[in-house]
Amino acid sequence: MSYQVIARKYRPKTFEDITAQEHITRTIQNSLRMGRVGHGYIFSGLRGVGKTTAARVFAKAVNCQKIIEDPEYLRTVTEPCGECESCRDFDAGTSLNIAEFDAASNNSVDDIRTLRENVRYGPQKGRYRVYIIDEVHMLSIAAFNAFLKTLEEPPPHAIFIFATTELHKIPATIASRCQRFNFKRIPLEEIQKQLQMICNAEGITVEPDALQLVGRKAHGSMRDAQSILDQVIAFSVDRQNEGGISYSKVAELLNYVDDDHFFAVTDAVLERNPSAMIDTAQFVIENGYDEQDFLEKLIEHLRNILMVQNLRSPRLVERPDAVRERYLRDAERFSPGSVMQMIDLLLNTSRELKFQFEYRFRFELALLKLIDLASGGATSGASAEAPGTPQKKKPVMQH
């Protein structure tokens, strides 16, 4: 049997398994219990957060024979049973009551006309025929218009579920005829917990910090996190499942710049040490890291300092506890105004690097300019004298 990737192998099969979208799964389950199933739904949100998965579980539930025939099961469980003929057909991919339609490659008026013709036919078994239309924002305006009448007066057996990552591209005439559900970005803790469960099921040892790094790289997308984990396992673990996944291996594979180097930048700013700043720039360049990516992560580093300063807590800093403690200490050494000035400088530099040449020089220049900006931002007691500078300096933080 061919290998099945983690994102498919561990795809949720019930509402309960869908991570961090309880506001949506609860609403759908309540609508099933009350018999208030609509004819049109829009599922929007970031890629890989469960839109199509939720649509499939919903489609499976509305035709589940146990939900239809057993009022007590409907009231107390409200999950597709996975055992009835309808659920088994769905799992085997042979159900004729569920149709998935890719709007990215079938976006013309003719494609919609064909869909409209098929909608007239009732379900083979069960109550509904469910049409899941992925990337619905890719339909042409003419195709949307051709779909309006069907969506306004659909057959009683038809349910349309539109999944999209770009809700703003859907015409208001379509959106107003549907119930809209916005899927949230999945919190890092939930991603880390799910990845740990997968590693336990696969018999793979893993360091918690390594999973946190994978989760941060996924930026709130569970599917991205699972795909990265697949890659990490292939890199770290041998055939006998020996070796395990360590933080260092994940950082090496993902070409991740360690937090120490971002703290080295802010330390050089505090110490007004251009030599140390140039050394950090050389490390980035000589090790083949992308300057643009380094600046983006440096902006995130300064953002973490700013959050700690304003909240007096590192609770919004997605880092291991030891690194959080370091942010707590360093946040006291800058003024919020100087941090915001440095972020503005880096944002402007990041934009310039996309369109201009001399990347290396502009990158080095931006890091050196941070030291000049610090003249209004580091505490006089915390800053060190740079070699060759006068002993008398005016205080650089205004309380």
Side-chain angles (χ1 to χ4, degrees):
M1 184 177 177
S2 61
Y3 172 71
Q4 192 174 36
V5 297
I6 283 174
R8 292 185 60 198
K9 184 177 180 180
Y10 293 94
R11 190 168 202 161
K13 295 182 179 179
T14 63
F15 291 115
E16 186 180 8
D17 293 338
I18 298 173
T19 305
Q21 309 298 348
E22 290 81 6
H23 63 297
I24 292 171
T25 56
R26 186 186 304 120
T27 304
I28 292 173
Q29 287 178 297
N30 284 340
S31 70
L32 289 168
R33 293 184 189 110
M34 299 168 67
R36 300 176 64 88
V37 177
H39 67 272
Y41 296 84
I42 295 177
F43 290 176
S44 64
L46 179 75
R47 70 187 185 280
V49 293
K51 300 184 297 298
T52 306
T53 295
R56 289 177 176 175
V57 175
F58 187 16
K60 191 176 176 181
V62 293
N63 285 315
C64 174
Q65 291 171 9
K66 193 161 187 178
I67 286 180
I68 294 171
E69 297 169 1
D70 187 343
E72 183 63 20
Y73 183 84
L74 170 63
R75 185 179 66 82
T76 58
V77 181
T78 329
E79 295 277 13
C81 68
E83 298 173 356
C84 67
E85 185 180 0
S86 175
C87 288
R88 291 199 308 270
D89 287 347
F90 179 88
D91 291 337
T94 58
S95 175
L96 298 178
N97 291 340
I98 299 164
E100 290 198 40
F101 184 82
D102 177 25
S105 52
N106 302 280
N107 56 11
S108 68
V109 174
D110 289 339
D111 294 317
I112 295 301
R113 284 175 181 157
T114 302
L115 179 61
R116 282 192 327 191
E117 291 297 316
N118 293 333
V119 166
R120 294 185 301 173
Y121 303 106
Q124 185 186 36
K125 304 169 189 172
R127 290 179 175 176
Y128 297 99
R129 292 196 73 179
V130 183
Y131 298 87
I132 301 172
I133 304 181
D134 248 331
E135 304 300 335
V136 69
H137 62 273
M138 298 293 286
L139 290 178
S140 65
I141 295 299
F144 273 124
N145 290 336
F147 202 64
L148 274 177
K149 190 65 176 175
T150 302
L151 194 58
E152 189 171 18
E153 298 176 2
H157 59 261
I159 297 175
F160 300 99
I161 304 177
F162 305 125
T164 178
T165 54
E166 300 186 49
L167 180 62
H168 61 281
K169 290 186 178 180
I170 298 179
T173 49
I174 295 289
S176 65
R177 289 169 167 81
C178 301
Q179 296 182 35
R180 282 168 277 181
F181 293 92
N182 185 36
F183 284 66
K184 298 185 295 187
R185 185 183 297 269
I186 300 176
L188 177 62
E189 295 78 13
E190 294 292 336
I191 293 178
Q192 194 171 348
K193 188 189 304 181
Q194 181 71 8
L195 297 183
Q196 184 67 64
M197 182 275 293
I198 292 171
C199 288
N200 292 343
E202 295 288 322
I204 295 170
T205 58
V206 59
E207 295 177 3
D209 288 354
L211 290 184
Q212 187 183 74
L213 185 52
V214 171
R216 278 161 45 198
K217 187 74 173 177
H219 300 294
S221 168
M222 182 65 79
R223 186 176 62 233
D224 284 8
Q226 291 172 338
S227 298
I228 295 169
L229 180 62
D230 239 333
Q231 189 177 356
V232 167
I233 291 172
F235 178 75
S236 305
V237 183
D238 61 22
R239 281 188 164 187
Q240 286 72 40
N241 276 0
E242 294 179 356
I245 300 173
S246 65
Y247 178 90
S248 60
K249 287 181 179 178
V250 175
E252 180 184 355
L253 176 65
L254 301 181
N255 203 28
Y256 180 78
V257 184
D258 195 84
D259 288 316
D260 286 342
H261 299 291
F262 301 112
F263 281 107
V265 170
T266 45
D267 285 346
V269 169
L270 288 165
E271 296 163 5
R272 301 184 190 175
N273 189 339
S275 177
M277 190 69 83
I278 291 172
D279 286 343
T280 302
Q282 290 306 301
F283 168 83
V284 173
I285 293 164
E286 291 173 2
N287 285 275
Y289 295 111
D290 182 72
E291 295 95 334
Q292 185 86 31
D293 184 59
F294 184 86
L295 290 181
E296 289 172 3
K297 287 183 171 60
L298 182 55
I299 291 169
E300 182 191 3
H301 172 71
L302 293 173
R303 172 262 179 200
N304 290 342
I305 291 176
L306 198 61
M307 291 301 103
V308 173
Q309 288 174 332
N310 284 276
L311 298 174
R312 308 293 181 188
S313 164
R315 62 185 174 87
L316 292 184
V317 177
E318 297 178 337
R319 294 293 188 277
D321 290 340
V323 180
R324 286 182 171 197
E325 290 297 322
R326 193 168 179 182
Y327 275 114
L328 272 174
R329 294 194 302 270
D330 278 20
E332 298 177 355
R333 305 171 71 191
F334 288 94
S335 71
S338 69
V339 175
M340 288 188 281
Q341 281 184 317
M342 287 190 284
I343 290 173
D344 282 340
L345 169 66
L346 295 175
L347 286 171
N348 290 331
T349 304
S350 184
R351 283 192 292 268
E352 288 175 2
L353 284 181
K354 293 179 181 178
F355 305 107
Q356 299 189 27
F357 299 104
E358 296 293 342
Y359 299 130
R360 176 172 179 168
F361 171 67
R362 290 178 183 278
F363 173 69
E364 294 167 338
L365 185 62
L367 294 185
L368 289 171
K369 280 183 177 179
L370 294 177
I371 296 175
D372 286 339
L373 286 178
S375 61
T379 59
S380 56
S383 62
E385 302 291 339
T389 53
Q391 292 301 308
K392 283 192 174 181
K393 294 182 182 175
K394 68 175 184 178
V396 290
M397 181 176 184
Q398 286 129 24
H399 295 282

